Amino acid sequence: MSDKLLVVGEVRDNDIRNVSFEAIAAARQIDQDAEIVGVLLSDSDLTSAGEELIAYGADSVITVTHENLKTYTSEGYGQALLEIIDELSPKGIVMGHTSIGKDLTPKIASRLSTGLISDVVAIEQDGENSIFIRPIYSGKAFEKKAFEDDFIFVTIRPNNIAALEKDDSRSGDVSAKDVDIKDLRTIVKDVVRKASDGVDLSEANVIVAGGRGVKSADGFKPLYELAEVLGGAVGASRGACDADYCDYALQIGQTGKVVTPDLYIAVGISGAIQHLAGMSNSKVIVAINKDAESNIFNIADYGIVGDLFEVIPLLIEEIKKVKV
Ligand SMILES: Cc1cc2nc3c(=O)[nH]c(=O)nc-3n(C[C@H](O)[C@H](O)[C@H](O)COP(=O)(O)OP(=O)(O)OC[C@H]3O[C@@H](n4cnc5c(N)ncnc54)[C@H](O)[C@@H]3O)c2cc1C
């Protein structure tokens, strides 16, 4: 085993996802002295993405460019990653707990006959050992886990471990590796994105989420406007999705997305336990609800009791004044 820690980054539409930088910070927390090797996979040139990984703390980057890596498949990514693992014999792997990370890492762990600690939100050191903290029971409790053997394999939840400061003066080797990605049993013909073009929900710093209290698809318009002035994304409760006010791609909660933005504004959402499971770790929670007894106020840092259709336009107006 070498002293290398692999960090598998993610590129979407030629942009590196923030969680890739957070994974580098996590790798650095796991081992201050390890050589952090970033891995990027795509069908297009990854040189500048690789250089960005280095600016965020990777020591070197291996890129694999192949037409069969245009869209994610566990087989394609798995072939590339297993070949790199075979060559480098790293002491561990860190990846984002994203839809790709969630799908790929258990398969790789199984192929390597090793353990995997997923959805890590914080890392503690106990002497030489890293202790990984992850939520359980839909976020109602946290457990601390460690590896019994020396190999570390974790996925980290986006927006929980702060990326290192970007340092453009850092330098490191970005090398392209040839891997023949072949015999794929699954070929993705087309990807139809359901979510809007705006800020990605799982990585947004600000989320304005609407519930059944928003009452209609039209009722979401002021929420989009508020999200826009705050540079954030719109999410929803399952109540709102079930009522067809918005797409299920926006659903936050136990059976939706898990988010941890800096600011979560819950609008017309009652605060059912299944909704809280997806957002209760947000840094600051603001609730707008006309029912002062609503459960959402029990976890809100700031509560506004009132009609959302009166409160939201006032908020937009005030925020616009501050931004001018
Ligand atoms: C297995 C399972 C999984 C589930 N997974 C999820 C999940 O992932 N995510 C999720 O969200 N839910 C999930 N649910 C559903 C969950 O239990 C709730 O039913 C749902 O979250 C309720 O959505 P809501 O808060 O929008 O609606 P409601 O509970 O109907 O609340 C609407 C709120 O809007 C307020 N309101 C109404 N009008 C106004 C107004 N004009 N101004 C201000 N406030 C107003 C009301 O006071 C009320 O508090 C799941 C349920 C089950 C059983």
Side-chain angles (χ1 to χ4, degrees):
M1 218 185 283
S2 68
D3 69 343
K4 293 181 169 74
L5 273 175
L6 285 195
V7 170
V8 185
E10 278 183 52
V11 181
R12 188 194 284 163
D13 301 333
N14 291 328
D15 283 333
I16 306 196
R17 300 188 67 185
N18 275 340
V19 69
S20 316
F21 309 136
E22 294 165 4
I24 291 174
R28 192 49 81 214
Q29 283 184 33
I30 292 165
D31 187 341
Q32 284 296 327
D33 303 321
E35 181 185 341
I36 297 177
V37 182
V39 175
L40 292 173
L41 314 171
S42 172
D43 68 329
S44 53
D45 183 51
L46 290 160
T47 316
S48 64
E51 282 160 1
E52 217 178 333
L53 271 195
I54 288 181
Y56 275 98
D59 295 306
S60 61
V61 175
I62 297 174
T63 64
V64 181
T65 301
H66 193 287
E67 58 177 350
N68 284 344
L69 296 172
K70 182 174 165 51
T71 40
Y72 167 76
T73 59
S74 58
E75 280 180 290
Y77 272 48
Q79 284 179 24
L81 199 52
L82 284 168
E83 200 164 316
I84 293 169
I85 293 167
D86 194 40
E87 189 180 309
L88 299 187
S89 300
K91 60 188 273 183
I93 306 169
V94 184
M95 188 170 183
H97 195 68
T98 58
S99 25
I100 291 180
K102 283 184 231 178
D103 188 64
L104 179 65
T105 51
K107 290 166 182 147
I108 299 285
S110 149
R111 288 291 293 273
L112 299 175
S113 302
T114 187
L116 169 69
I117 300 179
S118 61
D119 204 13
V120 170
V121 294
I123 302 168
E124 284 175 358
Q125 286 308 124
D126 178 16
E128 294 274 278
N129 298 326
S130 296
I131 311 289
F132 299 96
I133 301 170
R134 63 189 299 278
I136 51 171
Y137 305 127
S138 301
K140 279 194 270 212
F142 292 87
E143 65 176 359
K144 293 184 173 185
K145 286 190 139 185
F147 289 94
E148 283 198 331
D149 59 15
D150 290 337
F151 193 78
I152 287 166
F153 196 0
V154 293
T155 60
I156 57 151
R157 185 182 283 198
N159 265 336
N160 279 264
I161 295 172
L164 302 171
E165 195 108 338
K166 189 177 186 194
D167 177 359
D168 286 315
S169 69
R170 292 188 89 252
S171 61
D173 192 29
V174 179
S175 54
K177 180 173 169 56
D178 264 344
V179 181
D180 194 11
I181 313 287
K182 57 185 182 198
D183 302 331
L184 300 186
R185 282 168 297 178
T186 317
I187 292 169
V188 179
K189 296 261 189 193
D190 197 10
V191 175
V192 182
R193 292 234 171 99
K194 274 191 164 181
S196 67
D197 290 337
V199 182
D200 187 316
L201 197 53
S202 49
E203 288 187 4
N205 289 326
V206 177
I207 293 177
V208 181
R212 208 155 16 211
V214 175
K215 295 197 176 70
S216 66
D218 260 3
F220 264 78
K221 282 184 184 157
L223 276 70
Y224 276 99
E225 206 183 323
L226 179 59
E228 199 184 324
V229 294
L230 291 169
V234 171
S237 71
R238 180 157 139 189
C241 299
D242 284 345
D244 225 7
Y245 303 162
C246 53
D247 196 278
Y248 279 103
L250 301 190
Q251 185 184 319
I252 290 165
Q254 187 181 318
T255 43
K257 292 197 169 74
V258 176
V259 294
T260 37
D262 293 336
L263 173 62
Y264 189 91
I265 307 180
V267 185
I269 292 177
S270 60
I273 186 72
Q274 296 90 352
H275 186 76
L276 303 189
M279 46 64 75
S280 59
N281 285 333
S282 304
K283 292 187 185 75
V284 175
I285 298 170
V286 176
I288 304 169
N289 198 302
K290 66 178 184 185
D291 174 8
E293 300 300 317
S294 189
N295 190 45
I296 193 76
F297 289 123
N298 291 326
I299 62 147
D301 299 288
Y302 300 93
I304 302 173
V305 180
D307 186 329
L308 69 95
F309 297 104
E310 289 168 17
V311 174
I312 301 252
L314 289 175
L315 276 179
I316 295 170
E317 202 181 306
E318 288 303 313
I319 293 163
K320 277 186 176 164
K321 276 188 210 159
V322 178
K323 287 187 90 181
V324 169

